[in-house]
Structure formats: C-alpha cells, structure tokens
Amino acid sequence: MIMTILYYILTGYIAFLIIWNLLKSKKWQEEALYIIILIPFILRLFRLK
Amino acid sequence: MSMTTSAQIILAVMVATYIIAKALKVSTELSMLAAALAGALAGGAGIPARHIVEGAFTYLDIILIFITATLFMNILKESGGVAHVIRGILRKFHRKKSILFILITLLLLLPGALTGAGSVTVLITGGMIAVVLGYMDISKPRAAAIIFILAGLSAAAPPVSLWAMLTAAGVNMPYVGFFLPLLLPCLLLSLLVIFILGWKGKPVNLEKALKELPEAPPQMNWIRITLPFCVFLFLVLAGRIWPHSLPIVGLPMMFMASACVSLLLSPVKLNFLRISRETVHQLLPLIGTLTCVGILVQIMTLTGVRGLIAITIVTLPLIAVFLTLSIVLPASEAVLMWGAAPVLGVPLVLLFNTIGLNPIIALAGMSIIWPLGDALPPTAIIGRLTVHTVGMKGRYSQLLKHCLIPAIIIIIVGTLMVVFSKKLAFLTLL
C-alpha cells in the first residue's frame, strides 16, 4: 500500500513537471509532445486507467 | 480485397505519412504519431481514442525508470560528484594510459547502463571525458566517435537496456537472464573501441586539463558519491535476499531513493525542482518517442500491419535474415529509434526462438547492434548530441568515418551472438 501511494506521488510530481514545462514552452512541436506524454500520467493519477 | 493487400495499403499510407511529416520538418516523434493516426484512418478505425490511450500507456513503467534514473545522474553531476571522480582519476592515472582508458570506459558506461539512454552518458560524462581525450592529443572527431560508440554500448548495457526490455515485453518474455549476455559484449567492445581509437593518445597534460575541467566542491568526497550507489545496490539485493519480507520497490523508486540520498549528501545546496524540470525537458524527445512508439505499435496491431511485418520477416530465408541484420537493425533505429525494437525485434526474436536459437542471447546480440543507428540520419539524435557536446567542428561525416571500424566489429560480434546463441546460452545462468 505504501509503495502504491509513493508511486502515485511520483506520478503526480512528474505530471506537475510536464505541465510546468508545457506552460513555459514556446515551440508548438514541444507543446504537442508534452500534451501527448502527459496523457498516461494524468489518467493514472485520476485512476482512470 | 485480401487481408494482406489491405495491410499492405495501410502500411504504405503510414510510410508515406511519415515521409511527408519528416519532409515538413516535423519531429520524429510527431511524425510517428501522424503515421499512426493516418494508419488508423486508412484502416477504417477513425481516430481510435481507446487505442491511442492504450498505446500511450505501453511503456509507462520504462518512462518512469528513465526519468528517475536520469534525475539521479543529474543530481550527482550538479553536486560535483562526476567532476570529482574525473579529476581524481586524472590526478592519479594521467601517466598510465591503459588504466586511464579502462576507468574512462567505466565512467562512460555507468550513466547509460543505469538509465538505458546513450544521451544521458553524453550529457553527464561525455563533455568532461572529451576534455580529457583532447588533452591526450586525440582529435575531436575521434573523441566524438569514442564517446558516441561507448554511449551506445552503455545504453545497451544492463541493468536497463531499452531495446531488450521493449522486445522482451513484446514477446511476453520476462526481462531475466540478460545481465551477462549484455554486460560482457558491451564491456569488452567498449574497451576494444577506446583502445583502437585512442591508441595514439599521449599522456595527459594534467595542469591544463584540470584547469579546463569543472571544479568539484572542496567538501565532496568518495563517500558522498558512493553512498547513493550503495543504497541502490542494497535495494536491488534486498529484494532478492528477502523477497517475502520486503515490498516490491521497483527500479523507479530505487532510483528515487538514490537520488534523494545524493541530494542530502550534496556539499552544495541544490534546487531539486529546477533539476527535475530540466531532467524532464532533457528527456522530452526520448519520453515522446516511447509514448508515440507505443501508440504506433498499438495502431499497427489494430490494423494488421504489425502482423504483416511479422509474417514477412518470419517467412524470409534464414540466411537473408542473418546477413541483413547489420543493415536492417541500424537503419530501423535511425528511422524509428526505440520503436524498432517492438516493430522488428519482436518478430525476429519469435523467428529465432522458433528455429531453436536462444532468444535471450539473440536479443542481446541485436541490442548491441541497434544503437549504431543513433548516428544515422534522419534522426541521428545521439550522434548530433555528441558532436555538439564534444564541440566538434567540421562535417558530420567525420564522426561516421571514425565510427566505421568499431561499428563493423560490433556488428560482427552482435551477429555472431545471434548465430551462436544456442552455444552461448550458459551466459543467461538460467
């Protein structure tokens, strides 16, 4: 259970970093890529998958 | 229309979309995504949201390993640990070329072996090693070739070898028994390459080299550097010694624990958030590739294209497969990067397994050939990164020229590993 919680925290932290970098990015290709890589992290975080 | 013709048309649409996207200067990752979407449309599946999500999840565990391991390496670098090690080695062994080469090899292999990414090797130790090689009178293209080849072999080296992991996952084979089959060729070939390309090197001018290398904080010492690695090793071993008493920690959390220890032991105050953000930015092309490759493979499976490729490869004459490995593997890496492993690696391993070869050794052999493609266009990500990090001026082909002999040796060793995989099966220790 503790490990599961730790992994959720790690996933949340990485999702936060991706969103931060996405907001700072000024290149459209980078932005698109950040959005794509964000998908699994967000879905996992909200326990949708 | 037969199923084969239908899959062939979809494959043609995907290839055409990829080529057009690349021609429009779209990045490799997004080009792969565009090819996947075009394939889904051509296959009559529309925009299959469920499969896109499913594909994006394929390599989430590997992505987590990637990010946490690189974060650990970046913290070690920012704390001055890497600089301390390189300066220490240089001070002690600057007159002993052979020992210096052996230690440089280990320093170049470690970051990539832990993270699975050659780019991490280039970024963490590549720049500093290039300075050392420069003061040995080794030309920049030659130094770049040494760093590129060793970075590639470091990525294939255990414990994290993405090509082996992705292919093993594709054939439902546990990632077990790969340690020695990957470690031995990677280590021996790395030593061979550095001695071949650097044998003309002179003893280092210590004073000049130390002046150019970044300073390590005065409080930095070997305990601060080795303790995080000890924590990592302890966690790996503890899980095996007490499997029923300890929870399954997993590689990402092991790397996070090591990163936290490294952060706590750092003699200089580090901004964890900044390093984390830079790590994610630094890894964007690699994480993006893994996510888009997952989507691409999922759509290829949905539309039957993956089956077409698998059937085509499995029905090829065996001698043709062996002879073309040297071209097909680096070329597929140059186009699809790690995507080459699930797309081509999976049917090849199934084929080798069917004809009685050892799939672990065969896959290890292929895994050392794949990274060579990272210097080839259209992607050439690691090659270009190496040229930039080393500060090599002149034409890119200079790097390729110096890589040629090492590449031929690696291809021969890798192919022989595949052909004689049955006889080498004892290396798996299974």
Side-chain angles (χ1 to χ4, degrees), chain B residues 242-416:
Chain B
W242 304 291
H244 304 296
S245 319
L246 286 174
I248 297 165
V249 181
L251 275 176
M253 217 39 90
M254 289 178 194
F255 282 122
M256 271 316 272
S258 304
C260 290
V261 173
S262 191
L263 186 75
L264 290 171
L265 292 176
S266 169
V268 286
K269 205 176 167 213
L270 297 177
N271 185 339
F272 184 70
L273 193 63
R274 178 186 58 80
I275 299 173
S276 305
R277 276 186 51 212
E278 285 173 3
T279 301
V280 171
H281 184 71
Q282 171 191 340
L283 291 177
L284 179 64
L286 310 178
I287 305 169
T289 303
L290 285 175
T291 311
C292 293
V293 161
I295 298 170
L296 181 71
V297 172
Q298 182 76 19
I299 301 288
M300 283 172 117
T301 312
L302 172 75
T303 52
V305 171
R306 197 176 171 192
L308 174 74
I309 294 173
I311 293 289
T312 309
I313 288 175
V314 170
T315 49
L316 279 174
L318 201 57
I319 190 75
V321 174
F322 286 147
L323 289 176
T324 52
L325 278 181
S326 58
I327 299 163
V328 171
L329 295 183
S332 62
E333 175 71 17
V335 177
L336 292 170
M337 297 194 277
W338 285 292
V343 173
L344 283 180
V346 169
L348 282 171
V349 166
L350 288 173
L351 169 68
F352 296 147
N353 191 39
T354 313
I355 58 166
L357 297 181
N358 185 297
I360 298 173
I361 305 288
L363 179 50
M366 292 197 299
S367 297
I368 61 169
I369 301 177
W370 258 313
L372 295 172
D374 285 328
L376 302 174
T379 51
I381 283 195
I382 316 288
R384 282 186 279 129
L385 186 68
T386 309
V387 166
H388 176 73
T389 307
V390 173
M392 185 189 119
K393 302 276 183 282
R395 286 182 310 167
Y396 183 75
S397 56
Q398 285 291 311
L399 168 71
L400 296 179
K401 194 181 122 193
H402 287 288
C403 286
L404 194 62
I405 291 173
I408 291 170
I409 296 171
I410 290 170
I411 285 170
I412 291 172
V413 172
T415 309
L416 288 176

Side-chain angles (χ1 to χ4, degrees), chain A residues 3 6-7 10 13-14 16-18 20-21 24 28-30 32-34 36-37 39-41 43-44 49, chain B residues 25-27 29 33 53-54 56-57 64 67 248-250 252-253 272-273 276-277 280-281 284 288 291:
Chain A
M3 290 314 300
L6 284 175
Y7 270 98
L10 178 64
Y13 181 58
I14 295 172
F16 162 73
L17 295 171
I18 294 171
W20 189 334
N21 282 359
K24 294 275 173 193
W28 75 266
Q29 293 204 28
E30 263 187 22
L33 212 50
Y34 274 126
I36 294 160
I37 65 169
I39 296 171
F41 287 95
L43 292 178
R44 178 57 51 93
K49 184 164 162 55
Chain B
K25 302 225 184 299
V26 176
S27 67
E29 306 83 40
L33 181 70
V53 168
E54 199 76 49
F57 266 92
L64 284 178
I67 294 174
I248 297 165
V249 181
M253 217 39 90
F272 184 70
L273 193 63
S276 305
R277 276 186 51 212
V280 171
H281 184 71
L284 179 64
T291 311

Side-chain angles (χ1 to χ4, degrees), chain B residues 101-122:
Chain B
F101 274 166
I102 292 169
L103 293 171
I104 284 176
T105 303
L106 295 178
L107 279 176
L108 282 171
L109 285 181
L110 191 68
L114 285 179
T115 61
S119 60
V120 176
T121 290
V122 176

Side-chain angles (χ1 to χ4, degrees), chain B residues 84-96:
Chain B
H84 181 83
V85 172
I86 292 176
R87 293 176 76 91
I89 287 171
L90 207 52
R91 263 195 214 103
K92 204 153 192 180
F93 300 110
H94 64 281
R95 285 198 191 92
K96 295 168 184 160

